[in-house]
Amino acid sequence: MSSEEFPVLNLPSSVQCALPGSIVKVAVSHGAETAIINILSDKFTSSDVLRRQKSTKPDVVLCWTERPEDEVPTMCLAAKIIEVRCQDDGDRSLIFRGMHRVTVHDTRVDRNGVRVAMCAPCVEQTAAVDTGLISDILQKMEVVLKYMPLGKQDASKVFDMLRSSSPSVLSDVLGSMLTTKKSTRRKLFETLDVQKRLEIVQQLLAKSVASLHVAMNGSSREDGFDAAVLAKIRERGASQDVIEAVEKELAKLKKMSEQHPGHSSLVNYIETLCDLPWNVVHSREDDSPLLDRVEEVLNRNHHGMVDVKKRIIEFVAVQMLQDHTKSTSAAPVLCLIGPPGTGKTSIARSIAEALGKPFERISLGGVRDEAEIRGHRRTYIGSMPGRVIQAMKRAKVSDCILLLDEVDKTGRDSRGDPASALLELLDPEQNNGFMDHYIALPFDMSKVIFVATANNFENIPPPLMDRLECIHLPGYTMQEKVVIAKNHLLPSLIKKNAMQEFPLTLSDDILLFLISGYTKEAGVRGLTKRLDSLCRHYAVKIVKEGRTGSNEILISDTSTIEDILGPPIFEKHDRDHRVQHPGCAAGLVWEVTGGSVQYIECLKISSQDDAPHPRLTLTGRMGEVLNESAHIALNWILGHADEIDILDKQEIQAASIHIHLPSGAVRKDGPSAGVTILVALISLFSGVKVRSDTALTGEISLRGHVLPVGGIKEKVIAAHTAGMARVILPSKNYNEAMKCINDEHIQNLAIIPVSHVEQALENAFSPPISIDSDNTAYMSSKL
């Protein structure tokens, strides 16, 4: 056939590829194709309508490219304009009908800036068309037409038209009707072999017929699918109720078309039920004695923590006895409470390693939606199981170790209270039938070993706290941090930074300098970061210098640390400087990050004559309880000033007093500073300095009794870290403090128990301040 020139209209790839006989709508308001659209529309409106209807000559060649400036493909579609539409905004849209495929031989740009192509009709291969294939296609199409929204007469006309069409036209028309997939349409358009095009159409028709059978007669899935699902869920030990629920869902799936909006969500639900470990129990492969292995793993992975290790070993021993006697008593839920970086999460991992069970972690920090725990109901779009069921699905066993991390940081709002949702999960009487909103079936969580972590037990709701057995993890002493750095942190960081051939070594003195000057924490997280910085510094140095072989890197000078990390961030506790004036004292406080030394400063500003009571100013972001402690201390001094020889009651009454707690940006509260404030005020009014090597803690009453306080272990460690030699604390806390001294191997720290303010005054000053013994009975009964 002879070649002819036609204008080329580039259509973006987002426009569906058209086949001969199909309709194409093109609307262009701007861009490179505006000129050709205007030319074609003007040509159409100026021509005679009857002559155009009789004409079989194409008006344009259509091609599909990513960009208008791309080269014209070898094969394009010759099309004819059948309608021009003008929009209200002035834009034009053209309606084309595809005519036949053409082969492009050459292209050029005419004087109007329009690209034209020299092309000729493609020659199709029609000799080997199978008549049986055409008969099968027509038979299937007749079935499809019955279910199409057409009347009987219209369906009959369409079928007669298809039956009378040539094999080429039949393949193009049915291809346009049966698929909208770009790749399939492109394949149909580029296939010149009519036999192959008909085979593609036959496959499309087979899928359409199968989908219709699904909608009308049930699922097209093989019977083996249902059997496989039921076999899998029975293998996982599901109860009969669960099996019946799965059978019910499978029956629903049979009646549902794959095109149904709920089909995929129902399949996901069934798959979730099949993947859950309903009664799959972990089998231990290691035959070594379990208690010995637990003790070995805990000692290998963690330094110190005697109480924690003891409680875990007891826990494992009870579990072994229950397994031996087939007892079903519920295990307690261990809650590890301590400052950040003290190894709470790693202890849970060690328990899983020692028991040889899978370990899963659920982070609850910042969770505010109850559905995060219980899951979403399946009526919602995008519903999914809660975090608990997802963790069990990952664990693949029903007796895994499940860590509930940061249980003290859950929130609550209009979407529910996640902490309340945990009550059922952690209650031994209820968790054998835990209900997740998504699966809507009881799931047995009684075999799971739960371990929770928290930084502050005060933020845990009381009902949830009642279900937990709390194990407190105090901070580490300086000596413990040195051992941890040498035996655990440095080896792991050397491996992390690929420095096995150049191991970094720090002496104990350098580690002590690093810990005291660059970290201020109860745990070892900050210490890890500093050691990591040292490793990275030497890694850069090794690469730049091109070192080879195996050489140890030893840091034995503090100046090297300062050159790498800069000057020390934290100053050493200069206790002599901080308590060198009367009116100052060192107290011990507990924080979320551990214990610390809090200095208290008191100042007598001025005197006011004839003032019945002293004025008291409190600064340093002191809370309400701390404010009350200051007033109690001052009023006790006023009430007993006559019994203390070195105090002048009239001077105290006329004074204007200012009490300040440094680190004013940090909020402070609690009753444990009562005895410290009282000692500091006695020092202010008497002019006698408090011993700089002594730290105090304890709540006071109006009768002068020193009452017990919490956080003793953290406070003792903080006093030792600060270099204190003596700690004055309530007598009821003495045993706990001595246990800490023995467990942590703390030396050169004296614990002085006191039960009354009188004893605190005798031990806080040098020389001691005493109260007249003749007035002791009066003091204890005056109030």
Side-chain angles (χ1 to χ4, degrees):
M1 294 184 180
S2 60
S3 299
E4 294 186 74
E5 273 192 342
F6 297 101
V8 178
L9 179 58
N10 281 55
L11 301 180
S13 58
S14 58
V15 177
Q16 189 68 264
C17 178
L19 297 172
S22 60
I23 302 298
V24 182
K25 180 180 178 181
V26 179
V28 180
S29 58
H30 57 83
E33 303 304 320
T34 305
I36 185 172
I37 289 292
N38 292 332
I39 293 173
L40 291 173
S41 58
D42 293 340
K43 179 181 178 181
F44 177 81
T45 54
S46 62
S47 61
D48 181 56
V49 177
L50 294 177
R51 184 179 300 174
R52 285 193 57 78
Q53 290 180 349
K54 294 179 180 179
S55 174
T56 58
K57 184 178 180 181
D59 296 314
V60 67
V61 170
L62 303 179
C63 64
W64 288 265
T65 57
E66 293 291 337
R67 296 172 299 178
E69 62 270 16
D70 289 347
E71 293 185 4
V72 179
T74 305
M75 186 179 296
C76 298
L77 178 66
K80 180 180 178 181
I81 304 174
I82 59 175
E83 186 179 354
V84 175
R85 296 177 182 174
C86 295
Q87 310 294 335
D88 295 336
D89 56 3
D91 295 343
R92 294 181 178 182
S93 61
L94 274 67
I95 311 298
F96 296 94
R97 175 183 284 117
M99 298 185 69
H100 53 262
R101 298 170 178 81
V102 293
T103 302
V104 176
H105 299 298
D106 192 15
T107 60
R108 66 178 181 86
V109 180
D110 64 9
R111 60 184 180 182
N112 295 321
V114 175
R115 187 157 49 174
V116 296
M118 180 66 68
C119 49
C122 295
V123 179
E124 296 184 328
Q125 303 173 18
T126 59
V129 175
D130 185 3
T131 56
L133 178 61
I134 296 177
S135 298
D136 182 66
I137 290 174
L138 291 173
Q139 184 180 358
K140 285 184 171 62
M141 192 62 203
E142 188 175 13
V143 175
V144 173
L145 287 173
K146 290 180 181 179
Y147 297 102
M148 293 183 71
L150 299 172
K152 272 191 175 183
Q153 292 184 349
D154 292 337
S156 178
K157 289 180 181 179
V158 172
F159 182 72
D160 291 339
M161 183 270 293
L162 294 173
R163 186 168 53 184
S164 60
S165 299
S166 65
S168 176
V169 174
L170 180 66
S171 63
D172 289 334
V173 172
L174 292 183
S176 300
M177 292 173 60
L178 296 172
T179 182
T180 58
K181 193 174 181 181
K182 291 181 181 180
S183 58
T184 306
R185 281 209 176 187
R186 173 65 65 179
K187 186 176 181 180
L188 284 169
F189 179 76
E190 295 176 350
T191 303
L192 295 179
D193 190 335
V194 178
Q195 172 72 18
K196 293 183 178 179
R197 282 213 306 267
L198 288 172
E199 291 174 355
I200 297 174
V201 169
Q202 185 187 36
Q203 295 175 4
L204 296 173
L205 272 171
K207 291 182 180 180
S208 298
V209 172
S211 298
L212 289 172
H213 281 304
V214 168
M216 303 305 295
N217 303 318
S219 177
S220 63
R221 295 175 293 112
E222 298 179 0
D223 294 337
F225 177 80
D226 293 359
V229 168
L230 294 173
K232 185 175 181 180
I233 203 163
R234 286 193 180 99
E235 181 184 351
R236 292 180 173 268
S239 64
Q240 186 60 34
D241 292 339
V242 175
I243 295 173
E244 290 176 359
V246 172
E247 290 175 342
K248 185 178 179 181
E249 299 300 327
L250 288 172
K252 287 182 185 178
L253 191 62
K254 285 183 179 180
K255 301 176 183 178
M256 189 179 293
S257 168
E258 291 184 5
Q259 283 73 36
H260 191 281
H263 182 272
S264 60
S265 61
L266 184 56
V267 171
N268 290 338
Y269 175 68
I270 294 174
E271 289 178 349
T272 300
L273 295 181
C274 290
D275 291 338
L276 288 176
W278 294 96
N279 196 23
V280 180
V281 180
H282 174 74
S283 58
R284 185 167 175 260
E285 299 178 357
D286 190 359
D287 295 332
S288 61
L290 186 57
L291 274 185
D292 293 344
R293 173 170 171 76
V294 171
E295 192 170 0
E296 185 270 329
V297 170
L298 291 176
N299 290 332
R300 184 183 70 231
N301 295 343
H302 303 277
H303 178 74
M305 300 184 178
V306 178
D307 290 341
V308 179
K309 295 176 181 177
K310 177 183 176 184
R311 181 62 188 90
I312 292 173
I313 292 173
E314 292 172 352
F315 173 83
V316 174
V318 171
Q319 292 291 307
M320 293 175 63
L321 289 176
Q322 288 181 351
D323 294 341
H324 180 70
T325 59
K326 306 299 182 182
S327 174
T328 57
S329 299
V333 179
L334 303 180
C335 181
L336 307 176
I337 300 178
T342 51
K344 299 182 295 296
T345 302
S346 61
I347 286 177
R349 293 184 185 276
S350 296
I351 296 174
E353 179 186 350
L355 298 178
K357 293 188 176 184
F359 173 82
E360 290 296 331
R361 173 178 172 268
I362 300 176
S363 178
L364 300 175
V367 174
R368 295 180 176 271
D369 191 354
E370 181 185 351
E372 294 281 346
I373 306 298
R374 290 185 176 274
H376 304 80
R377 288 179 174 85
R378 290 168 55 206
T379 52
Y380 295 106
I381 297 175
S383 59
M384 58 191 301
R387 297 193 181 190
V388 175
I389 294 298
Q390 291 182 36
M392 299 304 297
K393 182 179 175 181
R394 294 192 301 268
K396 299 180 181 179
V397 293
S398 60
D399 59 344
C400 63
I401 308 293
L402 188 57
L403 175 65
L404 304 176
D405 209 5
E406 309 290 0
V407 294
D408 59 330
K409 295 180 177 59
T410 59
R412 61 181 302 177
D413 56 16
S414 58
R415 293 171 292 181
D417 183 8
S420 298
L422 292 173
L423 296 179
E424 179 189 359
L425 178 66
L426 301 180
D427 191 342
E429 302 298 327
Q430 301 181 51
N431 61 10
N432 59 350
F434 176 72
M435 290 292 291
D436 182 273
H437 290 157
Y438 180 79
I439 64 174
L441 292 168
F443 188 85
D444 186 4
M445 302 288 295
S446 61
K447 301 185 187 70
V448 177
I449 298 177
F450 293 100
V451 180
T453 67
N455 295 131
N456 188 0
F457 69 91
E458 294 178 354
N459 296 333
I460 303 175
L464 181 59
M465 191 74 176
D466 183 57
R467 288 162 169 78
L468 304 175
E469 180 181 339
C470 297
I471 302 176
H472 293 271
L473 278 70
Y476 298 110
T477 63
M478 298 280 281
Q479 286 71 22
E480 285 180 328
K481 290 182 180 180
V482 170
V483 176
I484 292 171
K486 293 174 66 176
N487 298 340
H488 299 279
L489 302 183
L490 269 176
S492 63
L493 291 173
I494 290 172
K495 183 178 180 181
K496 171 188 171 184
N497 291 281
M499 294 178 59
Q500 292 90 334
E501 296 182 359
F502 307 92
L504 181 64
T505 304
L506 282 76
S507 64
D508 291 356
D509 292 338
I510 297 299
L511 284 172
L512 285 171
F513 172 76
L514 181 66
I515 294 167
S516 61
Y518 296 88
T519 65
K520 187 180 181 181
E521 57 178 351
V524 292
R525 197 166 290 169
L527 177 59
T528 304
K529 295 176 183 177
R530 299 299 175 184
L531 292 173
D532 197 16
S533 298
L534 294 176
C535 290
R536 292 196 304 269
H537 171 83
Y538 281 101
V540 173
K541 195 172 182 180
I542 290 169
V543 173
K544 284 186 175 181
E545 295 178 359
R547 294 190 188 181
T548 58
S550 178
N551 299 307
E552 182 184 40
I553 300 174
L554 176 63
I555 300 179
S556 57
D557 189 1
T558 58
S559 60
T560 305
I561 299 293
E562 294 185 8
D563 291 340
I564 299 173
L565 301 180
I569 301 173
F570 303 104
E571 296 181 358
K572 291 184 178 180
H573 285 275
D574 192 356
R575 63 188 191 191
D576 296 330
H577 174 72
R578 299 297 296 270
V579 195
Q580 67 176 340
H581 299 290
C584 299
L588 296 173
V589 297
W590 179 90
E591 301 170 339
V592 176
T593 56
S596 64
V597 175
Q598 174 66 63
Y599 291 96
I600 295 177
E601 301 173 351
C602 301
L603 183 66
K604 186 169 58 176
I605 300 175
S606 62
S607 297
Q608 298 179 351
D609 296 334
D610 301 328
H613 297 287
R615 282 195 312 175
L616 184 61
T617 302
L618 305 173
T619 57
R621 294 199 68 186
M622 297 170 65
E624 183 178 353
V625 178
L626 195 53
N627 191 316
E628 293 175 353
S629 297
H631 282 87
I632 292 172
L634 181 58
N635 290 335
W636 187 92
I637 294 173
L638 282 171
H640 299 83
D642 294 336
E643 286 79 38
I644 305 177
D645 295 335
I646 59 177
L647 295 185
D648 185 345
K649 185 174 183 179
Q650 292 182 350
E651 180 185 355
I652 297 173
Q653 288 177 335
S656 181
I657 304 159
H658 187 169
I659 300 178
H660 176 67
L661 275 66
S663 301
V666 180
R667 180 171 176 80
K668 309 166 192 72
D669 204 0
S672 62
V675 68
T676 313
I677 295 175
L678 187 143
V679 168
L681 288 173
I682 293 288
S683 172
L684 176 68
F685 296 135
S686 65
V688 180
K689 293 190 293 183
V690 180
R691 291 186 57 161
S692 61
D693 62 348
T694 302
L696 303 96
T697 184
E699 180 182 359
I700 59 171
S701 69
L702 280 174
R703 294 182 178 272
H705 297 294
V706 181
L707 307 178
V709 292
I712 291 298
K713 194 168 187 178
E714 291 84 354
K715 292 176 180 179
V716 170
I717 293 174
H720 174 67
T721 303
M724 296 294 177
R726 305 161 76 241
V727 173
I728 297 175
L729 46 70
S731 57
K732 292 186 177 180
N733 292 126
Y734 177 73
N735 292 334
E736 183 181 356
M738 292 307 298
K739 186 175 185 302
C740 173
I741 292 285
N742 297 328
D743 291 347
E744 308 299 335
H745 305 290
I746 296 176
Q747 300 176 354
N748 303 323
L749 183 64
I751 304 297
I752 303 173
V754 297
S755 58
H756 197 274
V757 169
E758 179 183 1
Q759 297 170 318
L761 296 178
E762 291 177 353
N763 289 280
F765 295 92
S766 181
I769 294 178
S770 60
I771 301 176
D772 290 343
S773 58
D774 296 338
N775 297 319
T776 304
Y778 165 74
M779 289 171 54
S780 46
S781 63
K782 187 173 182 180
L783 296 177

